[in-house]
Amino acid sequence: MLPPSRRDFVSLALAESRGYTNGKQRRQSCWRKWKQLSRLQRSIVLFLLALMLIGGFALYPSLSPQWGAYTSRKLFSLGFMFRSACAFIYFFPPSSLCLARSWHGAVIEAEQATDPNAKEKEKAVEPEDPSVLQLGQRPELWPTCFRLEAVREAFRHAWKGYKEFAWGHDELKPVSKSYTEWFGLGLTLIDALDTMWILGLKKEFEEAREWVAKELTFNKNVDVNLFESTIRILGGLLSTYHLTGDALFLEKAKDFGSRLMPAFSTPSKIPYSDVNIDKGTAHPPRWTSDSTMAEVTSIQLEFRELSRLTGDPKYREVVMEVMRRVHRLEGKHDGLVPMFINTNSGQFTHVGVYTLGARADSYYEYLLKQWIQGGKKETELLEDYVQAVEGIQKNLLKRSSPLGLMFVGELSHGHFSPKMDHLVCFLPGTLALGVHHGLPAEHMELARQLMETCHQMYVQMETGLSPEIAHFNTQADSIQDVDVKPADRHNLLRPETVESLFYLYRFTKDRKYQTWGWEILQSFNKYTRVDTGGYTSINNVRDPTSPSPRDKMESFFLGETLKYFYLLFSDDSNIINLDKYVFNTEAHPLPIWPQTD
Ligand code: DMJ
């Protein structure tokens, strides 16, 4: 429901559009609105009016012969422009655009909500937001505020679809106005909790919290994928607990984490891919006893944090055992790992294929992030990470033609393939994060170059959206750097490029990264937004006239993509301070452990 004054304005606008108002009413209302504006807002309106007048005078000579004919139309359009300016300022007053965080204040300090002994956490208070207070003096912040508001609007639109057609279910099917069930645990809702908190969407957050408190139960006879449910559900609950200090989320995290533990009861201590959270049984996929490398090595941040919060070491033990075993294994290639590991033998399988894309990606990401989470003491993790980056540099990098873009290809039994998954675009951000935490400066140069490549994966497509997989041309006579095979033309609303843009902007403050992100957001709005609510993945990024919706909004669009957009457009490094938090691979921030731990 709009506040009363805003309702007046809406009815006036509606009445005007239908010709129901008289001149006196209009003048009175306009005067009332004018008086409600702050000094800053009045200055903006006057400034815009002055601009329009100057523009009018400049145009007058060229229009004067036809002045008579055009007078009423021009005057009407001046009036229209004035009303538009009024409406814009009314609905997006500069002081409201940056209010995103004002209802919960600055994000809670990492240490504040992480005391495992504290029984009741204090609810966040509502301090004044310094960025709001300074806005009047800092007009350069207005474009930032506008972009932040655009992300909040996108989130609300996505949420509207989820709420109306998929509430409490896993994922929205926005076109058919329905939903899909994967685990049957309200996946999108849980994945989106901390995004709502960070974006300052109080109403939406409260209704989601209510659902978690009243409806969410893990007493369900369902098989969940250990990795996917850890990064989205366990990670989402833990980070929301840290940001809000609300014990409800910690309770749910403990319940869920303990139900995942049977996955680790295997002959090799390498976990199975699936676990039934009611029966306490676990199993590999039906067709193999292998687990995926990225899956078994990208659950550590969450389980380690669960141990720290509960004081129970069992969660940390099982996941660290996986890391110890992988660290010692033969079969790596210059620090690069194969894509599979066997749950019986504990050995790598399918040896000889090396990629930074699907099935291996977050292994590399979590080497670095565990090292950061633990206070940079676990040297084996750091060694493995640095060696892997050297392995990438030695084996997987090449330049495309004609632009000479640096890309990360794949190695298959000694043969180089110029294929790069969009998933690999997490790498520039991870490299930059490492440099921020003291790793070699040359990693930053690589990060910048790969960032440019990921950007090109968007801009070289007709929709401005990246395909799922790109093939890079390396022949000297190539016309375009990026080629896309028909089966790879889809876009799943993935976050990796926006994620890396966020890191690169945070660390370099180069505004081009914000501009690139802004263009991507426009493309998402143009080609994936569904009128009735929600965003959809699409089948064909090369066909702007028929991108062909796939009718699915992945939970990571709310959990990651929109969150990283928001953080990218924000100039406030204290919104998730990267010296205090580390993001899990689903964009859920977890605290870097205080040094005493
Ligand atoms: C997310 O679930 C995570 O980012 C994961 O690491 C990779 N796949 C999706 C997003 O693309």
Side-chain angles (χ1 to χ4, degrees):
M1 176 71 89
L2 292 170
S5 57
R6 205 160 288 198
R7 276 206 307 274
D8 291 351
F9 188 82
V10 171
S11 8
L12 176 73
L14 281 174
E16 272 203 355
S17 70
R18 293 170 188 151
Y20 292 164
T21 53
N22 61 36
K24 193 174 167 207
Q25 272 177 311
R26 258 199 311 270
R27 274 193 303 278
Q28 278 175 351
S29 170
C30 214
W31 179 239
R32 211 172 49 237
K33 294 296 150 206
W34 178 254
K35 283 196 299 185
Q36 284 169 1
L37 294 180
S38 69
R39 216 167 39 184
L40 169 68
Q41 290 164 340
R42 287 183 203 174
S43 314
I44 297 170
V45 174
L46 290 173
F47 175 70
L48 288 172
L49 274 174
L51 264 186
M52 286 186 275
L53 271 178
I54 293 166
F57 281 127
L59 283 173
Y60 181 74
S62 59
L63 292 173
S64 53
Q66 308 102 326
W67 178 252
Y70 286 114
T71 299
S72 55
R73 205 183 308 161
K74 285 286 153 200
L75 285 177
F76 170 77
S77 78
L78 274 181
F80 174 74
M81 285 165 84
F82 173 74
R83 278 203 298 277
S84 306
C86 261
F88 180 80
I89 290 163
Y90 195 88
F91 282 107
F92 303 109
S95 58
S96 84
L97 293 182
C98 278
L99 276 173
R101 291 169 300 120
S102 66
W103 64 280
H104 54 66
V107 167
I108 292 178
E109 292 292 301
E111 308 87 63
Q112 244 174 289
T114 54
D115 174 4
N117 301 317
K119 280 253 159 23
E120 255 315 305
K121 307 290 174 187
E122 255 184 43
K123 284 273 166 113
V125 287
E126 198 169 325
E128 283 181 313
D129 185 334
S131 67
V132 172
L133 299 178
Q134 289 163 12
L135 260 188
Q137 286 82 52
R138 302 187 56 194
E140 75 276 11
L141 289 183
W142 299 348
T144 297
C145 292
F146 180 75
R147 287 177 179 177
L148 293 177
E149 190 55 29
V151 181
R152 283 153 53 85
E153 192 281 327
F155 186 98
R156 283 201 201 92
H157 184 76
W159 191 249
K160 174 182 183 288
Y162 178 73
K163 196 175 160 188
E164 280 183 34
F165 311 122
W167 185 248
H169 298 286
D170 282 343
E171 292 141 330
L172 169 69
K173 284 164 70 74
V175 179
S176 53
K177 302 194 178 95
S178 130
Y179 57 83
T180 53
E181 220 63 293
W182 188 7
F183 310 141
L185 298 173
L187 197 61
T188 295
L189 188 149
I190 299 176
D191 221 359
L193 283 167
D194 58 4
T195 305
M196 290 182 264
W197 182 266
I198 290 168
L199 270 58
L201 299 171
K202 181 176 185 177
K203 182 174 78 60
E204 291 81 356
F205 179 83
E206 289 302 340
E207 64 198 10
R209 185 202 180 275
E210 179 92 348
W211 184 86
V212 172
K214 296 201 173 136
E215 308 285 337
L216 178 62
T217 171
F218 299 124
N219 275 325
K220 278 195 162 176
N221 182 10
V222 287
D223 282 0
V224 301
N225 174 283
L226 172 68
F227 163 74
E228 298 289 0
S229 66
T230 296
I231 63 171
R232 300 182 200 215
I233 298 177
L234 186 56
L237 291 169
L238 288 173
S239 74
T240 307
Y241 165 65
H242 280 295
L243 296 179
T244 62
D246 185 338
L248 166 71
F249 300 105
L250 179 58
E251 286 312 310
K252 292 288 179 189
K254 282 190 215 165
D255 183 14
F256 190 65
S258 64
R259 290 167 186 269
L260 295 179
M261 289 299 278
F264 296 89
S265 299
T266 68
S268 66
K269 306 268 188 281
I270 301 298
Y272 291 131
S273 58
D274 297 277
V275 52
N276 186 298
I277 54 173
D278 185 43
K279 293 187 191 148
T281 52
H283 58 88
R286 225 167 281 132
W287 58 92
T288 176
S289 55
D290 289 349
S291 282
T292 298
M293 260 320 282
E295 294 197 356
V296 301
T297 54
S298 313
I299 48 180
Q300 279 66 15
L301 292 179
E302 299 81 356
F303 277 81
R304 283 156 50 115
E305 180 57 15
L306 191 57
S307 269
R308 198 176 73 92
L309 289 172
T310 58
D312 185 341
K314 71 179 178 213
Y315 305 107
R316 178 178 56 232
E317 283 307 322
V318 287
V319 293
M320 292 316 292
E321 183 59 21
V322 177
M323 295 314 295
R324 279 191 288 271
R325 285 174 187 246
V326 170
H327 175 72
R328 291 195 299 260
L329 271 188
E330 299 286 316
K332 292 188 199 123
H333 183 75
D334 297 327
L336 305 175
V337 292
M339 293 149 76
F340 297 97
I341 186 164
N342 190 271
T343 50
N344 293 322
S345 68
Q347 300 295 313
F348 289 130
T349 64
H350 303 76
V351 176
V353 181
Y354 303 97
T355 174
L356 260 281
R359 300 188 181 279
D361 48 0
S362 43
Y363 160 72
Y364 304 100
E365 178 188 348
Y366 267 38
L367 287 174
L368 176 74
K369 289 184 171 177
Q370 287 175 79
W371 176 71
I372 293 170
Q373 178 192 41
K376 306 182 192 174
K377 294 181 198 135
E378 297 150 291
T379 49
E380 285 188 353
L381 294 167
L382 178 63
E383 281 164 21
D384 286 353
Y385 175 75
V386 173
Q387 203 199 354
V389 176
E390 283 167 11
I392 295 167
Q393 288 170 318
K394 186 172 161 197
N395 298 284
L396 302 182
L397 296 183
K398 265 215 166 70
R399 285 196 185 276
S400 66
S401 181
L403 293 183
L405 304 171
M406 176 81 81
F407 67 93
V408 185
E410 298 184 352
L411 203 59
S412 179
H413 306 287
H415 171 76
F416 180 84
S417 158
K419 161 181 178 279
M420 179 166 159
D421 294 354
H422 181 272
L423 287 167
V424 182
C425 289
F426 80 93
L427 188 58
T430 298
L431 289 168
L433 180 67
V435 176
H436 177 72
H437 284 283
L439 299 191
E442 67 177 75
H443 289 193
M444 194 64 188
E445 188 42 39
L446 179 57
R448 285 176 194 269
Q449 294 195 32
L450 293 176
M451 192 74 262
E452 170 68 43
T453 305
C454 291
H455 169 56
Q456 289 295 329
M457 283 165 65
Y458 283 73
V459 296
Q460 293 198 12
M461 296 301 111
E462 288 76 356
T463 55
L465 291 172
S466 168
E468 177 73 356
I469 300 171
H471 282 79
F472 284 86
N473 288 316
T474 50
Q475 286 93 343
D477 58 350
S478 312
I479 294 164
Q480 202 180 26
D481 298 75
V482 183
D483 261 354
V484 188
K485 300 205 185 301
D488 304 335
R489 292 183 172 179
H490 48 295
N491 178 295
L492 303 182
L493 312 171
R494 285 196 192 276
E496 290 76 18
T497 295
V498 187
E499 170 186 355
S500 283
L501 287 171
F502 153 65
Y503 284 109
L504 272 276
Y505 180 69
R506 208 25 108 83
F507 299 135
T508 67
K509 293 291 170 215
D510 186 337
R511 293 223 180 258
K512 82 176 174 200
Y513 298 121
Q514 287 185 322
T515 307
W516 293 355
W518 181 242
E519 286 161 8
I520 294 173
L521 181 59
Q522 305 310 302
S523 297
F524 275 133
N525 275 328
K526 194 161 177 195
Y527 296 106
T528 71
R529 188 172 161 116
V530 178
D531 281 349
T532 44
Y535 287 74
T536 177
S537 44
I538 54 173
N539 279 316
N540 192 353
V541 296
R542 305 232 66 164
D543 188 350
T545 55
S546 179
S548 169
R550 288 165 76 103
D551 195 17
K552 183 160 177 186
M553 183 172 78
E554 301 279 349
S555 79
F556 52 68
F557 184 62
L558 300 190
E560 296 194 71
T561 312
L562 291 178
K563 185 187 290 152
Y564 282 130
F565 269 129
Y566 189 83
L567 295 171
L568 165 65
F569 299 142
S570 168
D571 279 312
D572 185 350
S573 300
N574 282 318
I575 308 186
I576 314 297
N577 183 327
L578 291 175
D579 292 314
K580 296 179 178 167
Y581 285 94
V582 60
F583 284 95
N584 86 341
T585 192
E586 188 76 4
H588 299 303
L590 297 172
I592 295 172
W593 298 340
Q595 283 308 296
T596 47
D597 283 21

